Amino acid sequence: MTAEPTTAEAGRDFIRDIVQADLDAKKHRAIVTRFPPEPNGYLHIGHAKSIGLNFGIAQEFGGRCHLRFDDTNPTREEQEFIDSIQADVRWLGYDWGKNLFFASDYFEQLYEWAEGLIRAGLAYVDDQSQEEIRLARGTLTEPGKNSPFRDRSVEENLGLFRRMKAAEFPNGARVLRARIDMASGNINLRDPVLYRILHAHHPRTGEKWSIYPSYDFAHGQSDAIEGITHSICTLEFEDHRPLYDWLLDKLPVPSKPHQYEFARLNLTYTLLSKRVLTELVRGGHVAGWDDPRMPTIAGLRRRGVPPAAVREFIKRIGVAKANSVVDVGMLEFCIREVLNQTAQRRMAVLRPLKVVIENYPEGKVEEIEAVNHPDDPAAGTRRVAFGRELYVERDDFMENPPKKFFRLSPGNEVRLRYAYFITCREVVKNAAGEVVELRCTYDPATRGGNAPDGRKVKATMHWLSASHSKPAEIRLYNPLFANPGPDAVNFTADLNPQSLEILMDARVEADVAASHSLDVMQFERQGYFVRDKDSTADRLVFNRTIGLRDAFAKEVGKG
RNA sequence: UGGGGCGUCGCCAAGUGGUAAGGCAGUGGAUUUUGAUUCCACCAUACGGAGGUUCGAAUCCUCCCGCCCCAGCCA
């Protein structure tokens, strides 16, 4: 009897089922997976699904996961992305150890295998133009036509291919093609291009090569070289699998990996295509790849989303082959779940309204003790200054409150969290009729927040001392797109004009201002916030990661 | 109309012939110095549709319908 791997959740998805079955059948000594990004952009939450799957399987089944850059197209790839991708994978909490690879590490081997294919009569150099090749490929319903160069001799093919390698021809002059079947129902088998001429600088191999292998000629072989057992990719590569297998079958590769496909992640109110993300940045619709509204890993990080929340999300959505669109609310739930347990509580007033406690002695200041986390005594306490002049949230006051409004209103008594009960006695307005200040009284007997006579209040509000709190800029984020299913083609039409709201006059606890911590805090009753990198010595900037659930707002929304 | 896939609750998603897991959302209630959290309850006689096989079908067979991917010298 073999013990069940304790960490593997057998049956959680079809890929893990396959892995488990392969292990039970003793097909492999160890499971080896890989995450194979092309370094041509920043990673986003869709990649996180793949990362979580590949690294997760390796972890759960006691194997390893390689990080391999699929750098076969030097015209699109940059060192900047090679660096950012590694940083993002690490931030997500995964470690490839020594297993960092590049498809370009295998260029020499790949080239030799290509010559081997030519010698076996399984590949040929085609002199047709790109246009001619396209026309001869046929259509979805009509078979293709053989290239007039398809039956060249091995010697001629070898000579031409070597001259391609020797940079004797310009871009596009010739390609190396596999000799398979121009009439195949699977277009990927209609003599796919294996090598193309590209006179370009490669971030790793520099000017050494002037021909580069295509994805199809590089991927499976790279998997085989690294001993990958389960090569997991997304659905659109399903029709490439026959080619993947064909190449591994014809070539003297050291191992025989298998490809499995799953559905990529889609999220409501979100677009994840590289093209859209790039245009969002280039077009200035967002502040950059790490704009907190971006679904990039860098954006999530800057927004304050903890990596554990991303991992939790990936785990919850599962892995299957059905195309689907996950409700972004699922991600938000995961973020709140993690943050609720980890974030320390503080107070901040986003839209301040001045309150003067008329019966509180002028000049008196008290240090009120507040807990840092209601469910975790170990998080300790802190002291918050209380005085005669305070700020409360504008939304917490209504001059003419509807029935279910329990917060401050003329004559109503509420609790200031940890401090005292106060009652609103008078509303001060400016010439325009706007409420600018509240005159209140407090009950000294309620210090700490409880009335000795046992009387209750229906609301507890957060507050800050006017003179002790510090000013801050707070950035509130809403979905980048106003439409749950944004149009990827004409995405600008679906952009949410309210995706960013900046509050310039917010106030935060002195304690918050003094800290340079990048930990996410909960500003009580508001949500989770994190200090932004735009903060300077005299300007504090905070990003709202996510708001708290708000049953009251929902109630009001009902009408 | 070629080839490859997929269709189970509003959204994800288990289920692999034995009588529909779970999560998110939603609804109702309890607790609460965050209208937060936590807790309890409710939430698919039904598995794209129609036939068939079977004592028994979401699971097997047939036909039909719908959706996605493929005609880059991108990945």
Side-chain angles (χ1 to χ4, degrees), chain A residues 222-276:
Chain A
S222 299
D223 285 343
I225 291 168
E226 294 176 20
I228 301 299
T229 55
H230 300 259
S231 181
I232 304 165
C233 61
T234 43
L235 251 29
E236 67 269 27
F237 291 101
E238 273 179 317
D239 347 315
H240 288 248
R241 185 167 9 104
L243 177 53
Y244 180 101
D245 290 336
W246 187 90
L247 287 164
L248 294 183
D249 194 47
K250 305 299 183 197
L251 264 13
V253 291
S255 75
K256 183 74 198 284
H258 285 274
Q259 175 183 304
Y260 302 95
E261 310 87 12
F262 69 97
R264 58 179 343 132
L265 173 69
N266 291 296
L267 274 179
T268 55
Y269 296 99
T270 310
L271 248 19
L272 294 177
S273 90
K274 201 161 282 177
R275 191 203 107 239
V276 170

Side-chain angles (χ1 to χ4, degrees), chain A residues 346-348 382 384 464 469-470 507-513:
Chain A
R346 292 293 185 274
M347 290 194 284
R382 68 187 186 286
V384 185
L464 245 24
S469 62
K470 306 293 181 192
R507 311 288 301 188
V508 298
E509 274 184 44
D511 168 271
V512 169

Side-chain angles (χ1 to χ4, degrees), chain A residues 146 149 154 157 161 189 223 226 243 254-255 321 370 377 404 418 426 432 455 475 482 508 515 529 544 558:
Chain A
N146 285 173
F149 303 96
V154 167
N157 279 138
F161 187 46
L189 261 22
D223 285 343
E226 294 176 20
L243 177 53
S255 75
K321 295 193 74 159
K404 293 234 177 105
Y418 303 120
E426 191 187 331
R455 78 179 187 279
R475 299 174 181 169
V508 298
S515 167
F529 296 78
R544 180 173 69 187
K558 282 179 189 170

